């Protein structure tokens, strides 16, 4: 079978809930992937930052195989020798006290929402069923019915109502709007430190700090969704470290699974986590020993290979070289570390067209929001590989 055959098969038998670029991948190693025709591509999407450690990192794959040969799943009806050590490690690197493990990012966001609501009722004294959570316009927190209830993207919502009440939407990067939106029933502010899916929107410096203080003053939980920005992507282990703030609740996912297994986590204090009691929340696969083992190695690779530092250094280099291209097609280049958005001028065409050009030149990148090309390669990328990519990006933007 060739590229056309595989695409045809997917077209026929898979739901059309994505519009993939026309390439059929079958192998990956580090920052490189290969298609069924034997062509090689530099992966500059990294599965939306789930592949910070690169494809098939040898240590992660070794852990996967060893744990697969030992114990894969028990459900949380029993203890395992993998859950505790992972939770301990996650607490050590975040300064949080307890962890609740789930599988997908959306499930972790749902868990944080349930946590905040129950905290509001049991600790803050909000009247039953009146809890409100404040979120930002153009947010992306996942695809469940409740999460799309507070999305501002029509495509994500159309035809999927009725929606879950209890959310208030304010503009991003606007602390005054946050302060004004708070009332006695507000239990939390849920926000991304950089809005990824919205087009790599970096808030002004001081935003997180202000939001942190406002949340504290009004006794509401400051919840950070670092599913995409966390674990080294933006040039710090966590993006909130740029402003030296600590969230009350931290949500992780994506790269926590080391690019090979879904696992997500909600981290918070012992007191806040105590809203969960046996039976009131759970997941069959959540915290399974296979995922826990992989996540522990995935995190240690990030720390030991100094991937946040790498992201910071190479991200600065990549961004400055992109700016030096001085392309007349480009409106703005922004981002932090190797989390970079190139916004095209409207008259230059859509980002999708450029991603198709880049594909033909051997680079996999993904458009986000019509005019923005996102460059977020695995953090194990080298300077030489970035130079290789820059030559081709220059060609595509010429
Ligand atoms: C990807 C993402 C999610 C959802 O994660 P899934 O694993 O796709 O459910 C939530 N929040 C942010 C910021 C994300 O980037």
């Amino acid at each position: 079978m060739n590229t056309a055959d595989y695409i045809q098969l997917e077209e026929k038998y898979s739901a059309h809930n994505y519009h993939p670029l026309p390439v059929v991948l079958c192998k990956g190693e580090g920052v490189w992937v290969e298609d069924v025709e034997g062509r090689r591509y530099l992966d500059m999407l990294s599965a939306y930052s789930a592949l910070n450690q690169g494809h098939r990192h040898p240590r992660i794959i070794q852990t996967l195989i060893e744990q697969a040969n030992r114990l894969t799943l028990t459900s949380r009806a029993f203890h395992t020798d993998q859950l505790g050590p992972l939770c301990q490690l996650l607490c050590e690197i975040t300064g949080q006290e307890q962890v609740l493990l789930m599988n997908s990012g959306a499930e972790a966001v749902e868990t944080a929402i349930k946590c905040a609501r129950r905290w509001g009722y049991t600790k803050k004294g909000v009247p039953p069923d009146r809890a409100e959570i404040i979120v930002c316009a153009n947010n992306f927190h996942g695809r469940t019915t409740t999460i799309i209830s507070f999305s501002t993207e029509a495509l994500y919502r159309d035809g999927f109502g009725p929606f879950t009440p209890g959310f208030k939407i304010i503009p991003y990067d606007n602390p005054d709007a946050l302060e004004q939106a708070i009332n006695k029933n507000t239990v939390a502010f849920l926000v991304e430190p950089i809005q990824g899916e919205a087009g790599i929107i970096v808030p002004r410096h001081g935003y997180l700090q202000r939001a942190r203080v406002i949340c504290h003053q009004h006794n509401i939980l400051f919840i950070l969704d670092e599913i995409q920005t966390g674990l080294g992507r933006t040039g710090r282990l966590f993006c909130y470290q740029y402003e030296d703030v600590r969230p009350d609740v931290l949500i992780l996912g994506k790269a926590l699974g080391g690019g090979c297994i879904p696992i997500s986590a909600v981290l918070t204090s012992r007191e806040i986590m105590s809203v969960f009691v046996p039976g009131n929340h759970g997941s069959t696969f959540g915290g399974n020993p296979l995922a826990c083992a992989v996540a522990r190695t995935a995190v240690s690779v990030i720390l030991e290979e100094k991937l946040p530092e790498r992201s910071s250094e190479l991200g600065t280099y990549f961004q400055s070289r992109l700016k030096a291209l001085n392309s007349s097609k480009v409106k703005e280049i922004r981002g932090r570390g190797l989390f970079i958005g190139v916004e095209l001028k409207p008259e230059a065409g859509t980002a999708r067209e450029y991603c198709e050009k880049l594909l033909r030149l051997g680079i996999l990148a993904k458009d986000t929001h019509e005019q923005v090309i996102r460059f977020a390669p695995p953090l194990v990328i080298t300077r030489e590989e970035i130079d290789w990519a820059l030559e081709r990006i220059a060609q595509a933007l010429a």
Side-chain angles (χ1 to χ4, degrees):
M1 298 225 300
N2 63 16
T3 296
D5 300 327
Y6 285 110
I7 290 177
Q8 203 183 14
L9 210 57
E10 269 194 28
E11 288 284 313
K12 184 163 178 201
Y13 290 109
S14 165
H16 293 183
N17 59 326
Y18 280 87
H19 178 31
L21 288 169
V23 58
V24 179
L25 303 174
C26 61
K27 271 190 208 170
E29 186 176 356
V31 298
W32 298 95
V33 289
E34 198 179 306
D35 75 3
V36 291
E37 318 285 343
R39 287 183 292 244
R40 271 173 32 110
Y41 304 86
L42 182 60
D43 182 357
M44 298 209 97
L45 176 64
S46 313
Y48 304 87
S49 297
L51 281 158
N52 288 356
Q53 304 90 341
H55 291 268
R56 294 190 309 109
H57 190 289
R59 279 185 55 203
I60 296 172
I61 296 301
Q62 192 191 344
T63 298
L64 178 75
I65 291 168
E66 281 173 10
Q67 188 61 40
N69 280 322
R70 213 179 280 139
L71 182 70
T72 54
L73 182 64
T74 57
S75 86
R76 293 284 306 281
F78 313 104
H79 298 280
T80 70
D81 62 352
Q82 295 300 317
L83 186 99
L86 172 65
C87 293
Q88 179 183 32
L89 174 63
L90 292 178
C91 288
E92 280 167 6
I93 62 170
T94 58
Q96 301 288 345
E97 291 176 336
Q98 283 190 339
V99 185
L100 198 159
L101 293 170
M102 298 294 282
N103 310 287
S104 68
E107 283 178 325
V109 172
E110 288 273 350
T111 301
I113 290 167
K114 286 170 86 171
C115 177
R117 284 180 166 184
R118 205 170 145 82
W119 172 84
Y121 301 130
T122 60
K123 313 263 174 177
K124 187 172 169 170
V126 172
D129 292 342
R130 302 290 289 277
E132 281 183 18
I133 295 174
I134 300 171
V135 298
C136 290
N138 303 317
N139 70 72
F140 184 82
H141 297 288
R143 303 293 202 151
T144 65
T145 320
T146 287
I147 294 170
I148 60 160
S149 296
F150 55 84
S151 172
T152 54
E153 174 63 54
L155 181 64
Y156 300 168
R157 292 167 52 91
D158 276 0
F160 296 130
F163 298 113
T164 308
F167 299 94
K168 198 181 261 181
I169 300 166
I170 61 167
Y172 189 60
D173 197 10
N174 187 335
D176 294 335
L178 172 61
E179 194 141 40
Q180 282 157 23
I182 294 170
N183 63 40
K184 61 184 190 327
N185 295 332
T186 307
V187 296
F189 175 46
L190 167 64
V191 67
E192 302 155 84
I194 291 176
Q195 286 189 324
E197 296 312 301
I200 322 281
I201 307 298
V202 184
R204 279 164 294 189
H205 190 78
Y207 174 57
L208 298 180
Q209 187 74 246
R210 280 276 323 271
R212 165 71 282 182
V213 169
I214 292 167
C215 289
H216 183 73
Q217 283 169 345
H218 295 269
N219 191 29
I220 68 174
L221 301 181
F222 180 50
I223 307 177
L224 281 184
D225 179 346
E226 290 242 22
I227 290 170
Q228 189 160 170
T229 53
L231 297 170
R233 171 53 57 190
T234 68
R236 296 281 187 276
L237 186 55
F238 302 106
C239 191
Y240 65 74
Q241 292 170 327
Y242 276 102
E243 294 199 24
D244 204 21
V245 295
R246 211 165 56 87
D248 297 308
V249 179
L250 174 64
I251 310 170
L252 300 178
K254 294 205 165 111
L256 188 57
C260 66
I261 204 159
I263 178 168
S264 61
V266 175
L267 298 101
T268 185
S269 67
R270 213 161 270 127
E271 149 136 40
I272 294 167
M273 199 64 96
S274 72
V275 302
F276 291 114
V277 297
N280 76 353
H281 187 54
S283 159
T284 305
F285 280 84
N288 72 77
L290 187 62
C292 286
V294 164
R296 197 140 52 101
T297 302
V299 169
S300 81
V301 164
I302 288 167
L303 299 175
E304 284 165 29
E305 299 190 7
K306 298 196 175 356
L307 297 187
E309 291 85 341
R310 237 188 132 73
S311 174
S312 172
E313 195 184 312
L314 292 177
T316 305
Y317 173 70
F318 194 6
Q319 271 203 56
S320 70
R321 289 283 313 270
L322 281 170
K323 283 178 184 152
L325 292 179
N326 252 325
S327 168
S328 59
K329 307 246 164 72
V330 172
K331 183 173 161 203
E332 190 184 35
I333 293 164
R334 54 180 181 251
R336 276 201 168 130
L338 286 168
F339 195 42
I340 299 170
V342 174
E343 182 170 351
L344 302 164
K345 291 180 185 162
E347 62 269 26
T350 64
R352 170 91 187 185
E353 295 165 38
Y354 289 87
C355 291
E356 284 169 3
K357 261 192 222 174
L358 286 168
L359 174 69
R360 291 191 288 273
L361 293 165
I363 292 176
L364 301 185
K366 178 77 174 71
D367 47 303
T368 159
H369 270 248
E370 290 290 308
Q371 294 309 121
V372 183
I373 313 171
R374 159 178 23 203
F375 292 111
L379 306 181
V380 295
I381 195 168
T382 63
R383 192 176 284 254
E384 291 69 35
E385 285 161 339
I386 289 176
D387 288 338
W388 185 93
L390 279 160
E391 273 176 46
R392 282 148 187 88
I393 293 166
Q395 249 174 288
L397 289 174

